[in-house]
Amino acid sequence: MRTYFLATLLAIAVPAAAQAQSADLVLCDRLAADPSDPDKPADVKGVTDIAASDIATAVKFCKQAAPSSRRAMFALGRAYAANRQTAEAMAAWRKAADKGSSAAMVELGVAYATGAGVAKDEAQARKLFEKAAQAGNPRGVSNLAALGGAGGSAPADPAQARALLGKAAETNAEAQYQLGLMLSEGAGGAKDDAAARALFEKAAAQNHPGALERMGAFAQEGRGGPKDKDAAKAFYERAAALGDDDAKKALERLRCPYAIKDKQGKLVTTLCF
């Protein structure tokens, strides 16, 4: 009964323009789209985790939309994975990857790299991450760098990851954020706070939670640009509203900036305003 009412309510909420691309796909996006999927339209928020109560409905609508949409096929894999149907999830991701879904390539790569639901095969994982990275997928880039050299014997190549992220960052908020982190830490090349801040600002304008939190920190500390406590608080608040835990902690520190400790250095209390 719940599934029927959920489908009905969602169908009512689907705008006319969205219906043109298939109500099944719109409903699939609402319930199972991955926020980091490069195929995802900008107006689709996506969900980090598919709610247990929505899994069956997600499978239904994504399955109906999958034949004509690779992102729906990828989302179908996510729904199956959430339902612990590993074999079905892998099959859906393979189909989506064959159609060019870089997000599906990453998920398959993770499975091969960890041996989750399939025999562990780092060489196959590398191929999938490389293909995803070449398509501009930020997770493909970062996972490729983390995997290291052939057979896991050589160290990761942050310089290569930085170069690949540079291409993806032209259009992708996640890539802008990841590259900003590398520039701010000096990973894979020279440290450049000003360039990092510019990238965080671009990603923050697209409501990327991590970039909003970093913009708050940079504004608070005056890194790569002017110091502005009010702007920092505003960035933290936006990031916190999107669920960023680091931003929530930063806001609490702004509210309670003074820590009272005992002789052993243990926190006794904080002074808040």
Side-chain angles (χ1 to χ4, degrees):
M1 185 64 71
R2 182 190 182 285
T3 298
Y4 170 76
F5 282 119
L6 175 60
T8 301
L9 289 172
L10 286 173
I12 291 173
V14 175
Q19 290 179 0
Q21 67 170 350
S22 150
D24 291 329
L25 178 56
V26 174
L27 296 172
C28 173
D29 280 339
R30 293 272 179 89
L31 300 174
D34 186 335
S36 67
D37 183 1
D39 284 342
K40 180 184 67 62
D43 61 344
V44 174
K45 184 178 180 181
V47 293
T48 303
D49 298 297
I50 300 174
S53 58
D54 290 337
I55 291 174
T57 310
V59 168
K60 175 184 176 181
F61 288 111
C62 291
K63 194 171 186 178
Q64 290 172 179
S68 58
S69 169
R70 73 185 187 190
R71 81 168 182 270
M73 184 65 77
F74 166 62
L76 176 60
R78 294 189 79 217
Y80 279 138
N83 204 38
R84 301 180 186 277
Q85 294 176 260
T86 305
E88 289 83 353
M90 293 289 287
W93 285 334
R94 285 194 181 96
K95 290 179 181 178
D98 288 343
K99 293 181 178 180
S101 169
S102 63
M105 295 170 198
V106 170
E107 293 301 336
L108 286 172
V110 169
Y112 279 112
T114 60
V118 67
K120 189 172 181 179
D121 187 338
E122 286 194 3
Q124 183 63 21
R126 176 176 303 285
K127 289 179 182 178
L128 287 160
F129 290 151
E130 285 177 345
K131 193 171 181 181
Q134 289 166 1
N137 188 299
R139 286 186 64 209
V141 174
S142 57
N143 286 348
L144 179 61
L147 194 59
S153 58
D157 186 348
Q160 179 193 34
R162 189 158 161 168
L164 288 168
L165 280 172
K167 297 177 182 178
E170 295 174 5
T171 57
N172 185 277
E174 177 65 19
Q176 290 159 6
Y177 169 66
Q178 293 291 344
L179 181 56
L181 289 177
M182 295 193 80
L183 287 167
S184 69
E185 297 165 2
K191 183 176 179 179
D192 190 334
D193 279 350
R197 184 165 178 158
L199 284 163
F200 290 143
E201 189 170 16
K202 285 183 180 180
Q206 300 168 69
N207 286 323
H208 186 291
L212 285 164
E213 185 277 331
R214 285 293 80 203
M215 276 302 298
F218 271 49
Q220 183 181 2
E221 300 165 16
R223 287 183 64 182
K227 189 173 184 177
D228 189 331
K229 185 177 179 180
D230 291 335
K233 183 180 179 183
F235 280 121
Y236 285 143
E237 287 174 340
R238 287 174 61 192
L242 292 171
D244 189 278
D245 290 333
D246 288 336
K248 294 175 184 177
K249 293 174 184 177
L251 282 172
E252 185 63 17
R253 288 194 296 271
L254 285 178
R255 192 177 73 85
C256 305
Y258 299 107
I260 305 299
K261 298 181 180 180
D262 62 18
K263 292 181 179 180
Q264 287 72 44
K266 294 181 180 179
L267 180 67
V268 176
T269 186
T270 54
L271 296 181
C272 305
F273 300 98

